[in-house]
Amino acid sequence: MSEKKAQLTIDGIDKTIVLPVYEGSTGPDVVDVRSLVGEGVFTYDPGFVSTAACDSEITYIDGGAGILLYRGYPIEQLAEHSTFLETCYLLLNGELPTEEENADFENGIRYHTMVDEQIHQFFKGFPRTAHPMAMLCGVVGALSAFYHDTLDADLPEHRMTAAHRVIAKMPTLAAMCYKHGVGQPFMYPQNDMTLSENFLHMMFSTPCEAPKVSPTLVKAMDTIFLLHADHEQNASTSTVRLAGSTGANPYACIASGIAALWGPAHGGANEAVLEMLDEIGDESRIEEYILKAKDKSDPFRLMGFGHRVYKNFDPRAKVMRGICDEVLAELGIENDPLFRIARKLEKIALEDEYFISKKLYPNVDFYSGIVLKAMGIPTSLFTVIFATGRTPGWIAHWNEMMSSEYKIGRPRQLYKGYTARDYPAK
Ligand code: CMC
């Protein structure tokens, strides 16, 4: 039980309310305000900036120190030594797999990568011009229609089957979103390929030819997925938890996470980076855009710079920067005008007093946007890639919540509307 206490006195309530204070394994203390409802008051915290909505053992972020840990392991070490799939196992199960567990897990995922043929019909119903996130949101929600046999969220084995299915099928569905848009046949997954190799195969092969994907690009894709795999209680993960708290099925919960991720303030930033680079268009205009970004009366912001949580540097961006250099060199496009603009922008921002003093460093989306563009992935698919990477995080949080005691999420409000009034007589 907690030793630390907080005391709260409220005008009009003639007593001091004593609240327990909890210490996590690291990070800030947390004041338990659950008893306040019994005293007739609520806390007010729009955007949940000061509120912990759950206990979790999955991911830890220290924004000031630039630390991101998955189950205690620093993201830089995972990016160097692990793979996306091994990281999925870690997020879901809490520990790195043994060799045997890893082989079992990889095999289990491999045999869930295909989607029911009926799913092809779903895609045929979408216009070719549909946004890939609109299609992804719809088809992932629809997956529950195919798996009535394993939807009991109270059963750990059903939860694991759902987790494996959704991790395995997301790359397939993501590639189908792309293929539908460009009017090419869907490519079936290949069981002899790794997850990221398979994804690039389903994206860029056709029945007529299957170009060999370079190991550098496979590694880049895998790292992008891994770096996005979880980010603790962000908007989409909190959405998955809130939906899950009602007992909704896992596919519906993941679809709600995809919907939340779609917003430009969350998953849309890497797309915005490319749009900005396109808009700048020429190195001669960079200075003009830097001035716009600094101008208080201009709403323009340098996309891919700054972060709500990481105030000194984004540890994922450090990893992604190295990958970015490797990919541009491998493809021989360092001198492509768009990438030259990106490099120059990065250099100016890192040296400019405005950006230094406000701690506005390039974030992961700045580099991942550039890498995805270099790999030939259209910008409209960037958020779908983010969703594919974030799926293990969403499902691990859903599983963690469903295996613990949880309450249906039900925030309160500060009501500012009319008080009771009579319906006007007619
Ligand atoms: N360009 C120019 N000025 C900026 C920028 C920027 N990108 N970001 C922040 N500022 C300024 C802002 O005007 C403010 O100035 P002042 O103190 O004079 O009012 C100061 O820096 C602090 O800004 P803030 O909005 O209070 O900072 P925040 O922590 O609330 O915002 C942010 C974080 C990510 C929303 C913001 O930096 C931003 O809009 N960046 C561009 C969009 C972007 O790249 N988003 C992706 C974030 S990573 C996504 C993920 O991890 O999932």
Side-chain angles (χ1 to χ4, degrees), residues 296 301-302 304-305 307-308 311 316 354 358 363 365:
K296 279 247 140 288
R301 282 185 170 199
L302 223 46
F305 288 80
H307 198 276
R308 173 59 51 81
K311 291 302 178 195
R316 302 164 304 168
Y354 173 91
K358 293 190 187 302
N363 57 47
D365 288 316

Side-chain angles (χ1 to χ4, degrees), residues 394-414:
W394 288 332
I395 204 77
H397 280 273
W398 172 80
N399 184 51
E400 181 181 66
M401 186 180 71
M402 301 315 287
S403 18
S404 60
E405 268 185 39
Y406 64 92
K407 275 184 182 300
I408 180 170
R410 177 55 173 94
R412 300 293 186 149
Q413 64 174 6
L414 172 63

Side-chain angles (χ1 to χ4, degrees), residues 53-56 59 231-238 241 397 400:
C54 61
D55 298 355
S56 184
T59 290
H231 217 223
E232 52 120 304
Q233 312 306 325
N234 55 84
S236 58
T237 303
S238 299
R241 279 188 177 259
H397 280 273
E400 181 181 66

